[in-house]
Amino acid sequence: MAKIYSKKSLVSQTMKPSEETLSFLLNYSKALSIVRIKNVDIEIISN
Amino acid sequence: MVNIQLPDASLVKEYVAGNEDALAKLIKRHESKIYGFIYSKIPDRDITNDIFQDTFIKVIKTLKSNSYNEEGKFLPWVMRISHNLVVDHYRKSKKMPLFRETEEFSIFSIMSDDSMTIENRIIADQVELDLKKLIEELPADQREVLVMRMYQDMSFKEISECTGVSINTALGRMRYALMNLRKVIDKHQIILTN
């Protein structure tokens, strides 16, 4: 199509993060553990 | 049955104690407020997603390292983190080269106003109105697919799920919708331009 004349509908614009972002965060949270050794936080990411 | 909702503070405690589902509940509960807040400051979905992600990475790290001590004020705390990240984003993007006006160089030689003139805007509105009328004339199945694709920005996969037809059928209907529109436009010699 040479030109698109339509305006994007605002109805479909939901204020929500993408599925990828959400699943990344939940997986990141599951993988992350933080250990404190002598006042130093060490982050461990398990595979 | 009464649906009892656990307060944020309890979910935070559960999460710190190792219940990962509590984090999912917290995110689900506040995602639209936080996402909407970031989007209101930076109207770009990709950047908003990035900042939303960075916000919760900070939340996760703080909670997992037991450094959180604002019980009962979870949402304002998360909002403050996202607000700081929005400020950081603007600080970073401000670092752009500075141009000074000289005799040989004027900033206006490379700057132009791309916004539409009033006349162009009226024409664009008229074109859109005409197009909407033409779309109304399409057969219902074709119109449905075209509206979902062009006006609601849905993918063909989503359209096929919504309408209960295969992706190929949805694609076919879109194709016929466009062909029919072109036919009507040619037949009546309608000029859609701006």
Side-chain angles (χ1 to χ4, degrees):
Chain A
M1 215 168 17
K3 265 192 168 190
I4 295 172
Y5 296 100
S6 60
K7 275 183 194 157
K8 295 272 181 263
S9 169
L10 289 172
V11 180
S12 67
Q13 304 242 332
T14 45
M15 284 294 127
K16 276 185 180 176
S18 66
E19 285 297 317
E20 292 82 28
T21 306
L22 289 179
S23 77
F24 169 81
L25 285 169
L26 297 177
N27 289 329
Y28 174 77
S29 168
K30 279 176 196 157
L32 178 75
S33 50
I34 296 179
V35 186
R36 175 163 284 193
I37 301 170
K38 289 180 186 171
N39 287 335
V40 180
D41 284 337
I42 297 171
E43 291 174 15
I44 302 163
I45 305 257
S46 50
N47 284 322
Chain B
M1 202 175 81
V2 183
N3 190 10
I4 302 166
Q5 205 181 32
L6 277 177
D8 289 350
S10 306
L11 287 172
V12 168
K13 264 187 197 157
E14 277 192 23
Y15 176 62
V16 172
N19 179 3
E20 291 289 334
D21 288 345
L23 178 73
K25 281 182 194 158
L26 280 167
I27 295 178
K28 202 94 218 127
R29 187 177 290 175
H30 299 300
E31 63 180 4
S32 55
K33 271 189 199 139
I34 298 160
Y35 190 89
F37 168 74
I38 303 166
Y39 191 78
S40 72
K41 308 282 178 203
I42 307 170
D44 179 302
R45 292 213 163 241
D46 291 334
I47 299 172
T48 302
N49 269 317
D50 285 351
I51 291 181
F52 183 91
Q53 186 174 297
D54 290 348
T55 302
F56 272 94
I57 286 176
K58 280 200 176 207
V59 169
I60 290 166
K61 281 185 180 174
T62 310
L63 293 179
K64 290 224 168 188
S65 61
N66 280 319
S67 317
Y68 176 73
N69 54 8
E70 289 182 281
E71 277 183 52
K73 296 176 195 163
F74 179 75
L75 182 62
W77 173 59
V78 181
M79 291 289 237
R80 207 161 53 241
I81 295 174
S82 58
H83 174 261
N84 290 342
L85 289 171
V86 168
V87 172
D88 286 351
H89 165 79
Y90 277 113
R91 260 194 214 133
K92 271 183 224 155
S93 57
K94 257 190 185 168
K95 284 178 190 163
M96 282 159 66
L98 184 71
F99 290 103
R100 286 196 194 285
E101 187 140 324
T102 62
E103 271 180 38
E104 298 90 51
F105 173 77
S106 164
I107 190 71
F108 293 107
S109 64
I110 56 165
M111 269 174 68
S112 62
D113 182 7
D114 291 334
S115 61
M116 279 201 257
T117 61
I118 291 173
E119 188 192 358
N120 284 341
R121 208 175 310 138
I122 292 170
I123 294 171
D125 287 346
Q126 187 61 50
V127 165
E128 191 156 315
L129 202 71
D130 290 345
L131 193 66
K132 275 192 177 156
K133 281 183 198 158
L134 293 175
I135 290 169
E136 289 302 314
E137 299 301 317
L138 287 172
D141 54 350
Q142 293 171 21
R143 184 174 63 233
E144 186 181 43
V145 173
L146 186 133
V147 168
M148 283 177 171
R149 180 74 195 110
M150 305 311 293
Y151 287 88
Q152 292 165 3
D153 204 23
M154 291 165 75
S155 67
F156 280 104
K157 189 168 175 283
E158 288 166 333
I159 293 170
S160 81
E161 282 162 6
C162 243
T163 53
V165 298
S166 69
I167 293 180
N168 275 340
T169 308
L171 281 165
R173 285 179 183 174
M174 182 71 188
R175 183 166 171 264
Y176 280 109
L178 294 176
M179 279 166 55
N180 283 333
L181 274 181
R182 284 205 188 102
K183 233 185 262 173
V184 178
I185 289 166
D186 286 345
K187 190 177 165 193
H188 298 286
Q189 295 187 326
I190 301 164
I191 299 166
L192 290 172
T193 184
N194 192 4

